[in-house]
Amino acid sequence: QAEDGIRDLVRSRGLGDVYKRQLLPRRIQGSFRFLQLFIDNQSYNGIFKNRYNYIISAGSSTLPLNVMASYENSAANVHILSPGFYKDKLKLVLVPEHDEIYSGNAVSYKGSLIENGKEQQPLDYPEKISLRKDAFKISLLIGGDSRKYRMRLEEIKPLVFYIDKISSRGNIDLMITTSRRTPKPIENFLKEYFSSKDYLRLLIIANEENPAGAYSTMLNASDLVIATSDSISMISEPLSLSKRLYVFKTEKLPDKNKRFIQNLEREGLLKIINLDNKEDFFTNQRQGIKLDNRNIIKEALKQVI
């Protein structure tokens, strides 16, 4: 609830710079009433009128409030994702391995943290997809632009043509989802190209519609998942369900994406698609390996609790 106010504090009011210069030491404990100027009363009362032993935050916009609340409560604090210059103000930092943050209070995990038990959640969308029992089911996950990367239509077209070739080798059901980051030209191309393909069972254009339950249904039903290399979460989610995963490497990826994919490939958790390779996905059905961070997180939290 306080996220908008926190973001305003960090970006507009320069609170991060204040902490960086260490102008808010521990003696400010009990003097955070000024936050009522930036966050609503319900959020303020929930955070500062109650007492806590542990403070947990995720994402850069919540970090200043995590530190303040931990000061106020003399609480152990935990942060998920890169902490920037707040690293020494946290009891425990849980960071993706590909961020390469090394510190005595940092514990690394692989990929993205996926909701525990997601594979057991009820699916409310299967009847709308009309999957065939005898078909080989493929899910295609297409990401998009980020701060350091721009996805181009010309680099996605060969992947689409490759999947069309796969359809000529066997009976497939294809399910596709884009991301909210997917460029419009790619969305339009997917809609036009697959409109005449009878093996297409589902096409989700996330910027237009993202039906509840559809994405979970896709992943759970898949015999094979193909994901573009720009999205760490789209790679992590199939692996959390022990799905066979192939990654299509796009151009000019950020270094952290390259490290992430290389590490998982080295451990046998995924394979890279080679468009010149005529691998038979239907007969070479390698068993998927589950990406599970639960034990790593559990052991790390034992240091705090």
Side-chain angles (χ1 to χ4, degrees), residues 267-282:
E267 295 180 28
L269 288 161
L270 59 80
K271 291 188 72 174
I272 304 299
I273 283 186
N274 179 353
L275 298 182
D276 297 324
N277 187 358
K278 301 194 182 301
E279 178 169 357
D280 191 340
F281 294 113
F282 306 99

Side-chain angles (χ1 to χ4, degrees), residues 6 24 36 42 49 56 59 63 89-90 116 118 134 165 169 172 184 203 217 225 234 239 251 253 263 274 291 294 300:
I6 298 164
L24 289 176
Q36 291 176 296
Q42 182 180 358
K49 295 298 183 182
I56 301 175
L63 260 169
K89 301 180 184 298
L90 299 161
N116 186 18
K118 187 173 183 177
D134 61 340
K165 288 182 180 179
R169 301 175 196 160
I172 75 167
K184 190 71 173 177
L203 173 58
T217 299
V225 178
M234 281 184 166
L239 290 178
E251 300 174 8
L253 282 176
N263 290 341
N274 179 353
L291 175 63
R294 285 175 291 186

Side-chain angles (χ1 to χ4, degrees), residues 64-111:
L65 195 57
N66 178 318
V67 175
M68 285 186 255
S70 66
Y71 283 173
E72 183 71 8
N73 290 273
S74 297
N77 57 351
V78 178
H79 183 71
I80 303 169
L81 301 178
S82 177
F85 53 76
Y86 292 91
K87 181 171 58 179
D88 297 333
K89 301 180 184 298
L90 299 161
K91 180 72 174 178
L92 174 65
V93 183
L94 300 173
V95 292
E97 188 178 76
H98 51 268
D99 278 347
E100 294 190 327
I101 294 177
Y102 306 109
S103 175
N105 63 343
V107 172
S108 297
Y109 58 86
K110 290 180 173 61

Side-chain angles (χ1 to χ4, degrees), residues 136 223 244 280-288:
F136 186 78
D223 298 306
R244 292 174 59 206
D280 191 340
F281 294 113
F282 306 99
T283 59
N284 183 21
Q285 295 193 26
R286 175 180 57 89
Q287 179 62 40

Side-chain angles (χ1 to χ4, degrees), residues 45-59:
N45 290 334
I47 296 169
F48 291 100
K49 295 298 183 182
N50 298 315
R51 307 303 300 174
Y52 303 100
N53 295 318
Y54 308 100
I55 309 293
I56 301 175
S57 61

Side-chain angles (χ1 to χ4, degrees), residues 116-151:
N116 186 18
K118 187 173 183 177
E119 61 270 44
Q120 280 80 43
Q121 291 181 354
L123 306 177
D124 55 5
Y125 204 78
E127 69 282 358
K128 299 181 181 180
I129 302 181
S130 301
L131 297 173
R132 296 169 296 177
K133 289 184 179 180
D134 61 340
F136 186 78
K137 299 166 184 66
I138 300 175
S139 283
L140 174 60
L141 316 180
I142 297 180
D145 296 343
S146 65
R147 286 186 302 171
K148 297 182 179 180
Y149 168 76
R150 291 292 178 267
M151 180 176 281

